[in-house]
């Protein structure tokens, strides 16, 4: 059965891989994007998730064109890395407002229709950094760690209505964001990963696709690491 799916930040990298995986599974997939050219083959909706009005308008467009959102993948996120003593208030608040508060906005809006339908799948994209920590990423780590508490609270709140809420925590993934690193930086990162390589975006997408499926109907409040073993023990 084809479901209405929304993937935030679905124009490239992990988000685009997730959108493709869910479309291949037969779902109708909409993606949000902030700038540039949207990907072909999806309902593309321009939306900055830090703006509540844009979020509302995006949902109205998706609902009009493919029905109420039955599967939400909250993937949109930003980084503004800086050591703590050099980190400005804006560096901190802008990252938290996008990664954590922005997720709150899109999940709250999706939950309306899910509660009425008495079913739904919510998957939040966190990061190994949210569990492990990373020097120079206190803002990003705090925002991604916050997603775990948020998801687990919603798992308890929404579970009686057959709505699951889970978290996928990727490790280092081979995307445009990580390709800007120097060879030396990449080598140092891979040296910490037991599997000895970066993840491919499709490997993150596969975990999301599973959590969004009927096979995962009894999984909620879980944090699924897809990190090559980097964050073991967290």
């Amino acid at each position: 059965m084809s479901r209405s799916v929304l993937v935030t930040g679905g124009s490239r990298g992990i988000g685009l891989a997730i959108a493709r995986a869910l479309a291949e599974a037969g779902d109708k997939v909409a993606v949000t994007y902030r700038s540039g050219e949207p990907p072909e083959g999806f309902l593309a909706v321009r939306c900055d998730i830090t703006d509540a009005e844009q979020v509302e308008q995006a949902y109205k467009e998706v609902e009009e064109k493919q029905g109420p959102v039955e599967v939400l993948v909250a993937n949109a996120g930003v980084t503004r890395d800086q050591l703590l003593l050099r980190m400005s208030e804006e560096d901190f608040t802008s990252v938290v407002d996008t990664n954590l508060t922005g997720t709150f906005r899109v999940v709250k809006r999706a939950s309306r229709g899910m509660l009425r339908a008495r079913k739904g799948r919510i998957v939040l994209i966190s990061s190994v950094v949210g569990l492990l920590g990373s020097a120079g990423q206190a803002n990003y780590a705090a925002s991604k760690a916050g997603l775990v508490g948020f998801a687990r609270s919603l798992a308890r709140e929404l579970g009686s209505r057959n709505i699951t809420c889970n978290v996928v925590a990727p490790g280092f993934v081979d995307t445009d964001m990580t390709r800007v690193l120097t060879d030396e930086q990449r080598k140092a990162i891979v040296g910490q990963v037991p599997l000895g390589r970066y993840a491919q975006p499709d490997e993150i997408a596969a975990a999301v696709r599973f959590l969004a499926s009927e096979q995962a109907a009894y999984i909620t409040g879980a944090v699924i690491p897809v990190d090559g073993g980097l964050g073991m023990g967290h």
Side-chain angles (χ1 to χ4, degrees), residues 161-207:
R161 299 296 182 91
N162 195 31
I163 301 167
T164 65
C165 188
N166 292 292
V167 177
V168 171
F172 290 98
V173 185
D174 189 18
T175 65
D176 292 343
M177 285 177 72
T178 55
R179 287 185 199 120
V180 300
L181 299 172
T182 65
D183 288 344
E184 192 174 313
Q185 288 171 319
R186 288 174 67 91
K187 186 177 178 181
I189 289 166
V190 166
Q192 300 172 55
V193 180
L195 288 183
R197 65 176 178 84
Y198 277 64
Q200 293 302 311
D202 288 349
E203 293 175 304
I204 313 305

Side-chain angles (χ1 to χ4, degrees), residues 19-94:
R20 285 174 174 156
L22 291 169
E24 285 166 10
D27 291 321
K28 296 171 290 189
V29 180
V31 298
T32 70
Y33 69 105
R34 279 198 311 172
S35 59
E37 287 298 312
E40 293 182 1
F42 306 101
L43 170 59
V45 183
R46 192 184 290 275
C47 177
D48 182 343
I49 64 170
T50 65
D51 184 325
E53 183 55 37
Q54 287 191 41
V55 169
E56 178 62 28
Q57 290 305 313
Y59 270 90
K60 285 181 177 175
E61 185 174 342
V62 172
E63 288 164 350
E64 183 183 307
K65 293 181 178 174
Q66 65 180 36
V69 173
E70 297 164 89
V71 178
L72 170 67
V73 182
N75 167 74
V78 296
T79 58
R80 290 183 73 165
D81 297 351
Q82 189 57 267
L83 294 172
L84 179 65
L85 293 183
R86 296 176 185 166
M87 187 178 289
S88 67
E89 287 263 342
E90 190 191 354
D91 287 336
F92 191 87
T93 57
S94 65

Side-chain angles (χ1 to χ4, degrees), residues 7 21 28 42 74 108-109 160 196 208 226:
V7 180
K28 296 171 290 189
F42 306 101
K108 181 179 178 181
R109 183 59 177 78
S160 64
V208 174
V226 189

Side-chain angles (χ1 to χ4, degrees), residues 114-132:
M114 292 180 182
L115 285 164
R116 278 195 294 270
R118 298 185 72 87
K119 65 177 181 178
R121 294 279 189 274
I122 299 167
V123 183
L124 312 183
I125 307 302
S126 179
S127 168
V128 66
V129 168
L131 308 173
L132 199 60

